[in-house]
Amino acid sequence: MSQAVPYSIPASKEEEIEGKVISHFPIGDRNIDTVTVESFGEEWEKFDDFDQQEIHQVGNEYFDIIDLEALREARALDVGCGTGRWTKFLAKHVAHIDAIDPSKAIYPAAKLLREEQNVRLSVAGVSDLPFANDSFDFVFSLGVLHHIPDTSQAMKDAVSKLRPGGQFLVYLYYSLDNKGAFYKFIFHCSTFFRRMICKMPQGLKSVVCDIIAFTIYLPFIGLGKLVKALTPNSKLYQKVPLSYYIGKSLNIVRNDALDRFGTPLEQRFSRKEIEQMMTEAGLEQIRFSENTPYWHAVGIKKSQNQ
Ligand SMILES: C[S@@+](CC[C@H](N)C(=O)[O-])C[C@H]1O[C@@H](n2cnc3c(N)ncnc32)[C@H](O)[C@@H]1O
C-alpha cells in the first residue's frame, strides 16, 4: 500500500468487506445522476460473477492501445470501476490502483478484488475525487462518463488527477458515426424502448432486459455467427447489429442488455466530439482504437507550461 497516492481528505467512513477496506467520501450533487447510480448499484448486484478468462479477453480489447509493459511502475486510477473488472485486469500490470465508484457496485468489487494487494477501493464520484491534482500516472474510465450529465466536465475532473505526461484512457458510447443507415435505424428503435424500460421498477426492468437479451441479442448474435461462417474471409458479419457479442458469454450479453435498456441516463458521442472533449481536458497525442468497443481512445496530459 506504500505505493498508494495519499487521500487528500479524510474518509467519512471505513468498512471492511471480504478483507478489503472500503473508504467512503462525501458524494455531492454536482454532475451526478443519482437515479442512474442507484440503478447501477442494483445491476451490479445481479452481475457480480465474472469469468477470469473473459476479463482477460475483453480487457485486452479495451487496453489494446496501451503499452501495458510501460505501466509497471504506474499508480493508476479507475474512475467508475463498477464491479472492478478492469481494475482486476490492470492490477497485475501496474504498481497500484485506486478504484472509485459512487454506487453499491463497490461491494461486489471488494469480492472480485479481494486478492489484489495493490488495489484500494473508495466510494466517491468523479466530481469529488479524494486525491490531489496531478497525482496519478494513468487514469482510465471505461463506460462511465456517458452516464454523467456533463460528460465533458467529468472528463476534465478525471484528467485533473493525472500528472502531466500521464495517460488517460476512455471508452464512451459511440453515436454510430461509423455505421450505415440500417444500423442507425435499429438503434433508434431500441432507444424508443429504452426510454420506457429504464423507468420500470428494478425487478421488472431486469426481467424485461433478460427477455431482450434472449429474444433480440441472441438471434442477432446467431445471425452474425452465420454470416461469419459463410463469409470467413470478409468482415461482412460486422455489419450485423450486435455482432460485437460473438464469442462473449451470456453473462456479458445479459449484463449489457440491462446496461443498454435499463440505464436512465445514456449519452452518445462521435469520434470528433470525443477528440474535442479530450483536447479541452488538456490531452494531446490522442489516439483512437480502430477496433471495438467504439470508441475508446487514449491521450497524454500536456504539461502546464505548454
Ligand atoms: C456501465 S458501468 C461501468 C463500470 C466499469 N467501468 C466497467 O466497465 O465494468 C458505469 C459505472 O459508472 C458509475 N458512475 C455513475 N456516475 C458516476 C460518477 N458521477 N462518478 C463516478 N462513477 C460514476 C456507476 O456507478 C457505474 O458503476
Side-chain angles (χ1 to χ4, degrees):
M1 203 54 89
S2 60
Q3 295 275 7
V5 167
Y7 286 131
S8 56
I9 52 169
S12 54
K13 176 176 129 185
E14 278 188 351
E15 57 185 328
E16 199 175 316
I17 306 284
E18 302 272 346
K20 276 216 105 61
V21 174
I22 299 175
S23 301
H24 292 247
F25 294 89
I27 296 167
D29 52 7
R30 271 187 312 127
N31 206 14
I32 187 163
D33 189 80
T34 43
V35 181
T36 295
V37 169
E38 271 168 35
S39 163
F40 273 119
E42 284 154 14
E43 170 181 335
W44 293 119
E45 282 182 336
K46 178 174 174 188
F47 293 105
D48 68 344
D49 196 16
F50 293 103
D51 174 62
Q52 292 301 316
Q53 209 181 326
E54 192 156 42
I55 289 181
H56 180 73
Q57 180 209 330
V58 183
N60 276 323
E61 293 176 5
Y62 283 106
F63 288 85
D64 62 343
I65 43 178
I66 301 297
D67 177 0
L68 293 171
E69 276 294 299
L71 290 182
R72 226 166 329 145
E73 306 290 314
R75 300 199 285 185
L77 172 65
D78 182 353
V79 177
C81 64
T83 50
R85 0 178 219 179
W86 313 132
T87 300
K88 174 103 182 161
F89 171 85
L90 197 69
K92 59 183 176 300
H93 297 287
V94 296
H96 189 267
I97 306 189
D98 269 291
I100 71 98
D101 201 285
S103 79
K104 284 190 278 177
I106 208 76
Y107 297 112
K111 187 174 151 209
L112 184 72
L113 298 162
R114 62 183 175 267
E115 279 160 21
E116 313 302 332
Q117 301 300 317
N118 61 343
V119 170
R120 185 172 62 173
L121 297 171
S122 311
V123 174
V126 66
S127 305
D128 302 284
L129 291 166
F131 309 104
N133 287 351
D134 302 342
S135 297
F136 291 89
D137 306 297
F138 183 66
V139 176
F140 64 108
S141 187
L142 302 177
V144 175
L145 306 183
H146 45 231
H147 296 304
I148 294 178
D150 185 343
T151 300
S152 177
Q153 183 56 49
M155 191 183 289
K156 285 179 189 152
D157 291 339
V159 171
S160 71
K161 304 301 166 192
L162 189 63
R163 67 159 171 82
Q167 299 180 80
F168 178 71
L169 174 70
V170 68
Y171 160 57
L172 288 172
Y173 285 164
Y174 72 140
S175 57
L176 287 86
D177 38 328
N178 59 348
K179 295 290 181 194
F182 172 66
Y183 214 105
K184 285 185 177 137
F185 170 72
I186 301 263
F187 174 77
H188 288 307
C189 295
S190 75
T191 299
F192 173 77
F193 289 107
R194 186 182 75 80
R195 293 210 175 108
M196 289 188 289
I197 295 167
C198 74
K199 295 195 182 82
M200 292 175 175
Q202 192 67 28
L204 178 61
K205 180 162 81 176
S206 194
V207 172
V208 170
C209 291
D210 262 354
I211 294 173
I212 292 174
F214 284 99
T215 60
I216 298 175
Y217 277 59
L218 291 190
F220 269 118
I221 297 165
L223 178 64
K225 276 188 194 163
L226 182 68
V227 174
K228 194 174 179 186
L230 292 175
T231 57
N233 299 324
S234 92
K235 292 201 166 172
L236 187 63
Y237 75 92
Q238 290 181 355
K239 299 220 178 292
V240 178
L242 304 173
S243 58
Y244 168 71
Y245 293 100
I246 294 175
K248 306 273 189 305
S249 68
L250 182 60
N251 205 33
I252 291 247
V253 171
R254 290 174 62 215
N255 188 171
D256 281 11
L258 183 56
D259 231 40
R260 170 73 188 98
F261 288 91
T263 308
L265 177 65
E266 169 199 292
Q267 307 187 68
R268 290 187 168 258
F269 301 96
S270 67
R271 183 171 171 147
K272 214 168 147 196
E273 288 167 331
I274 296 171
E275 186 162 5
Q276 188 177 341
M277 281 192 280
M278 291 177 80
T279 306
E280 285 169 7
L283 299 164
E284 60 183 2
Q285 299 178 49
I286 295 161
R287 276 187 302 121
F288 280 74
S289 173
E290 298 305 329
N291 303 317
T292 51
Y294 302 124
W295 293 110
H296 62 287
V298 63
I300 294 181
K301 185 166 173 178
K302 281 190 221 164
S303 62
Q304 265 93 349
N305 46 16
Q306 263 183 284

